[in-house]
Amino acid sequence: MARIAGVDLPNNKRGEIGLTYIFGIGRSSARKILAQCGIDPSIKVGDWDDAQTAAIRAAVGERRIEGELRSSVQMDIKRLMDIGCYRGIRHRAGLPVRGQSTKNNARTRKGKKKTVANKKKATK
């Protein structure tokens, strides 16, 4: 099992798919990394030799991934909240940030439904 950037890559997956197990590397980034290293994307991770693994490790090391990327994303969100922009307010309130409707859906962001009781009308 190849270990790159603190992540164990599965041996039975193709190289292109295996690299996506690293946070911050998607399919297109994985293709670019493998092309940069001169490795066929269809070769399985378990079939990489030590030289190929070292080349991939060096190429991945140039990118911002895993913990560094997670912390920078959190700092970006905190900055939005601190400056009080619309997106920051939505983050603070736990509501959808990208313009989605909240009347009927948005349960993932809003959480479980909280039923609000109606006041009975006072009779005269």
Side-chain angles (χ1 to χ4, degrees):
M1 193 173 275
R3 188 166 179 84
I4 296 174
V7 178
D8 290 328
L9 304 183
N11 285 333
N12 58 341
K13 303 271 186 186
R14 293 174 37 236
E16 180 183 347
I17 304 299
L19 281 175
T20 63
Y21 280 61
I22 300 170
F23 182 80
I25 297 179
R27 292 281 294 268
S28 61
S29 302
R31 281 190 203 112
K32 288 176 188 169
I33 289 168
L34 291 171
Q36 177 185 339
C37 297
I39 300 169
D40 182 26
S42 62
I43 296 176
K44 298 206 181 233
V45 174
D47 297 337
W48 289 344
D49 59 19
D50 292 337
Q52 290 173 325
T53 307
I56 291 170
R57 202 172 277 127
V60 166
E62 297 167 6
R63 297 175 175 270
R64 193 164 48 166
I65 52 165
E66 284 297 324
E68 185 183 348
L69 180 59
R70 287 180 208 271
S71 62
S72 70
V73 168
Q74 287 302 315
M75 291 301 294
D76 292 344
I77 292 170
K78 186 178 180 323
R79 179 182 54 81
L80 291 173
M81 290 193 289
D82 289 345
I83 64 176
C85 68
Y86 181 79
R87 280 174 56 203
I89 292 167
R90 302 294 281 186
H91 271 292
R92 196 179 307 142
L95 293 168
V97 177
R98 297 186 176 176
Q100 295 92 332
S101 172
T102 58
K103 183 174 181 180
N104 296 317
N105 292 324
R107 282 288 133 214
T108 303
R109 286 291 295 181
K110 289 167 69 174
K112 197 166 174 358
K113 275 188 185 173
K114 301 174 206 85
T115 306
V116 179
N118 289 347
K119 287 186 179 177
K120 288 192 175 180
K121 291 188 178 179
T123 56
K124 290 185 183 178

PDB file of all heavy atoms in Angstrom, residues 33-47:
ATOM      1  N   ILE A  33      -0.687  15.130 -12.393  1.00  0.00           N
ATOM      2  CA  ILE A  33       0.449  14.637 -11.605  1.00  0.00           C
ATOM      3  C   ILE A  33       1.069  13.422 -12.287  1.00  0.00           C
ATOM      4  O   ILE A  33       2.289  13.320 -12.431  1.00  0.00           O
ATOM      5  CB  ILE A  33       0.005  14.306 -10.168  1.00  0.00           C
ATOM      6  CG1 ILE A  33      -0.304  15.591  -9.406  1.00  0.00           C
ATOM      7  CG2 ILE A  33       1.062  13.491  -9.436  1.00  0.00           C
ATOM      8  CD1 ILE A  33      -1.008  15.391  -8.098  1.00  0.00           C
ATOM      9  N   LEU A  34       0.221  12.482 -12.721  1.00  0.00           N
ATOM     10  CA  LEU A  34       0.736  11.277 -13.368  1.00  0.00           C
ATOM     11  C   LEU A  34       1.411  11.601 -14.697  1.00  0.00           C
ATOM     12  O   LEU A  34       2.437  11.007 -15.044  1.00  0.00           O
ATOM     13  CB  LEU A  34      -0.389  10.262 -13.559  1.00  0.00           C
ATOM     14  CG  LEU A  34      -0.914   9.634 -12.254  1.00  0.00           C
ATOM     15  CD1 LEU A  34      -2.157   8.816 -12.522  1.00  0.00           C
ATOM     16  CD2 LEU A  34       0.158   8.784 -11.598  1.00  0.00           C
ATOM     17  N   ALA A  35       0.855  12.562 -15.451  1.00  0.00           N
ATOM     18  CA  ALA A  35       1.475  12.968 -16.715  1.00  0.00           C
ATOM     19  C   ALA A  35       2.821  13.635 -16.458  1.00  0.00           C
ATOM     20  O   ALA A  35       3.797  13.414 -17.193  1.00  0.00           O
ATOM     21  CB  ALA A  35       0.548  13.914 -17.467  1.00  0.00           C
ATOM     22  N   GLN A  36       2.885  14.454 -15.412  1.00  0.00           N
ATOM     23  CA  GLN A  36       4.124  15.138 -15.046  1.00  0.00           C
ATOM     24  C   GLN A  36       5.210  14.123 -14.681  1.00  0.00           C
ATOM     25  O   GLN A  36       6.381  14.312 -15.001  1.00  0.00           O
ATOM     26  CB  GLN A  36       3.851  16.072 -13.865  1.00  0.00           C
ATOM     27  CG  GLN A  36       5.043  16.807 -13.322  1.00  0.00           C
ATOM     28  CD  GLN A  36       4.678  17.618 -12.078  1.00  0.00           C
ATOM     29  OE1 GLN A  36       3.532  17.947 -11.842  1.00  0.00           O
ATOM     30  NE2 GLN A  36       5.675  17.907 -11.275  1.00  0.00           N
ATOM     31  N   CYS A  37       4.796  13.035 -14.018  1.00  0.00           N
ATOM     32  CA  CYS A  37       5.752  12.008 -13.603  1.00  0.00           C
ATOM     33  C   CYS A  37       6.011  10.980 -14.706  1.00  0.00           C
ATOM     34  O   CYS A  37       6.882  10.121 -14.555  1.00  0.00           O
ATOM     35  CB  CYS A  37       5.236  11.287 -12.366  1.00  0.00           C
ATOM     36  SG  CYS A  37       5.073  12.362 -10.940  1.00  0.00           S
ATOM     37  N   GLY A  38       5.231  11.037 -15.793  1.00  0.00           N
ATOM     38  CA  GLY A  38       5.411  10.091 -16.887  1.00  0.00           C
ATOM     39  C   GLY A  38       4.933   8.697 -16.562  1.00  0.00           C
ATOM     40  O   GLY A  38       5.541   7.712 -16.968  1.00  0.00           O
ATOM     41  N   ILE A  39       3.838   8.590 -15.796  1.00  0.00           N
ATOM     42  CA  ILE A  39       3.291   7.299 -15.386  1.00  0.00           C
ATOM     43  C   ILE A  39       1.938   7.109 -16.054  1.00  0.00           C
ATOM     44  O   ILE A  39       1.131   8.040 -16.112  1.00  0.00           O
ATOM     45  CB  ILE A  39       3.146   7.230 -13.849  1.00  0.00           C
ATOM     46  CG1 ILE A  39       4.522   7.411 -13.198  1.00  0.00           C
ATOM     47  CG2 ILE A  39       2.526   5.917 -13.419  1.00  0.00           C
ATOM     48  CD1 ILE A  39       4.478   7.614 -11.714  1.00  0.00           C
ATOM     49  N   ASP A  40       1.697   5.911 -16.548  1.00  0.00           N
ATOM     50  CA  ASP A  40       0.424   5.588 -17.188  1.00  0.00           C
ATOM     51  C   ASP A  40      -0.680   5.591 -16.130  1.00  0.00           C
ATOM     52  O   ASP A  40      -0.555   4.905 -15.105  1.00  0.00           O
ATOM     53  CB  ASP A  40       0.521   4.209 -17.856  1.00  0.00           C
ATOM     54  CG  ASP A  40      -0.744   3.832 -18.589  1.00  0.00           C
ATOM     55  OD1 ASP A  40      -1.481   4.752 -19.000  1.00  0.00           O
ATOM     56  OD2 ASP A  40      -0.990   2.626 -18.760  1.00  0.00           O
ATOM     57  N   PRO A  41      -1.788   6.355 -16.326  1.00  0.00           N
ATOM     58  CA  PRO A  41      -2.854   6.429 -15.318  1.00  0.00           C
ATOM     59  C   PRO A  41      -3.574   5.108 -15.074  1.00  0.00           C
ATOM     60  O   PRO A  41      -4.204   4.925 -14.036  1.00  0.00           O
ATOM     61  CB  PRO A  41      -3.839   7.452 -15.893  1.00  0.00           C
ATOM     62  CG  PRO A  41      -3.142   8.131 -16.998  1.00  0.00           C
ATOM     63  CD  PRO A  41      -2.032   7.248 -17.445  1.00  0.00           C
ATOM     64  N   SER A  42      -3.474   4.161 -16.029  1.00  0.00           N
ATOM     65  CA  SER A  42      -4.194   2.896 -15.869  1.00  0.00           C
ATOM     66  C   SER A  42      -3.433   1.882 -15.014  1.00  0.00           C
ATOM     67  O   SER A  42      -3.993   0.849 -14.645  1.00  0.00           O
ATOM     68  CB  SER A  42      -4.502   2.292 -17.240  1.00  0.00           C
ATOM     69  OG  SER A  42      -3.303   2.018 -17.920  1.00  0.00           O
ATOM     70  N   ILE A  43      -2.170   2.156 -14.694  1.00  0.00           N
ATOM     71  CA  ILE A  43      -1.399   1.241 -13.833  1.00  0.00           C
ATOM     72  C   ILE A  43      -1.943   1.332 -12.412  1.00  0.00           C
ATOM     73  O   ILE A  43      -2.172   2.426 -11.888  1.00  0.00           O
ATOM     74  CB  ILE A  43       0.101   1.597 -13.852  1.00  0.00           C
ATOM     75  CG1 ILE A  43       0.672   1.408 -15.250  1.00  0.00           C
ATOM     76  CG2 ILE A  43       0.877   0.743 -12.859  1.00  0.00           C
ATOM     77  CD1 ILE A  43       2.121   1.831 -15.377  1.00  0.00           C
ATOM     78  N   LYS A  44      -2.143   0.186 -11.786  1.00  0.00           N
ATOM     79  CA  LYS A  44      -2.683   0.162 -10.424  1.00  0.00           C
ATOM     80  C   LYS A  44      -1.637   0.650  -9.426  1.00  0.00           C
ATOM     81  O   LYS A  44      -0.429   0.538  -9.662  1.00  0.00           O
ATOM     82  CB  LYS A  44      -3.140  -1.253 -10.072  1.00  0.00           C
ATOM     83  CG  LYS A  44      -4.255  -1.716 -10.988  1.00  0.00           C
ATOM     84  CD  LYS A  44      -5.105  -2.744 -10.350  1.00  0.00           C
ATOM     85  CE  LYS A  44      -6.172  -3.154 -11.330  1.00  0.00           C
ATOM     86  NZ  LYS A  44      -7.491  -3.077 -10.839  1.00  0.00           N
ATOM     87  N   VAL A  45      -2.113   1.189  -8.316  1.00  0.00           N
ATOM     88  CA  VAL A  45      -1.228   1.758  -7.291  1.00  0.00           C
ATOM     89  C   VAL A  45      -0.282   0.695  -6.759  1.00  0.00           C
ATOM     90  O   VAL A  45       0.899   0.962  -6.522  1.00  0.00           O
ATOM     91  CB  VAL A  45      -2.063   2.367  -6.143  1.00  0.00           C
ATOM     92  CG1 VAL A  45      -1.176   2.819  -5.001  1.00  0.00           C
ATOM     93  CG2 VAL A  45      -2.896   3.528  -6.652  1.00  0.00           C
ATOM     94  N   GLY A  46      -0.748  -0.524  -6.602  1.00  0.00           N
ATOM     95  CA  GLY A  46       0.093  -1.607  -6.087  1.00  0.00           C
ATOM     96  C   GLY A  46       1.230  -1.977  -7.026  1.00  0.00           C
ATOM     97  O   GLY A  46       2.221  -2.576  -6.594  1.00  0.00           O
ATOM     98  N   ASP A  47       1.101  -1.634  -8.310  1.00  0.00           N
ATOM     99  CA  ASP A  47       2.128  -1.975  -9.296  1.00  0.00           C
ATOM    100  C   ASP A  47       3.178  -0.883  -9.479  1.00  0.00           C
ATOM    101  O   ASP A  47       4.091  -1.046 -10.283  1.00  0.00           O
ATOM    102  CB  ASP A  47       1.471  -2.280 -10.650  1.00  0.00           C
ATOM    103  CG  ASP A  47       0.553  -3.489 -10.567  1.00  0.00           C
ATOM    104  OD1 ASP A  47       0.746  -4.323  -9.662  1.00  0.00           O
ATOM    105  OD2 ASP A  47      -0.369  -3.589 -11.410  1.00  0.00           O
TER     106      ASP A  47
END
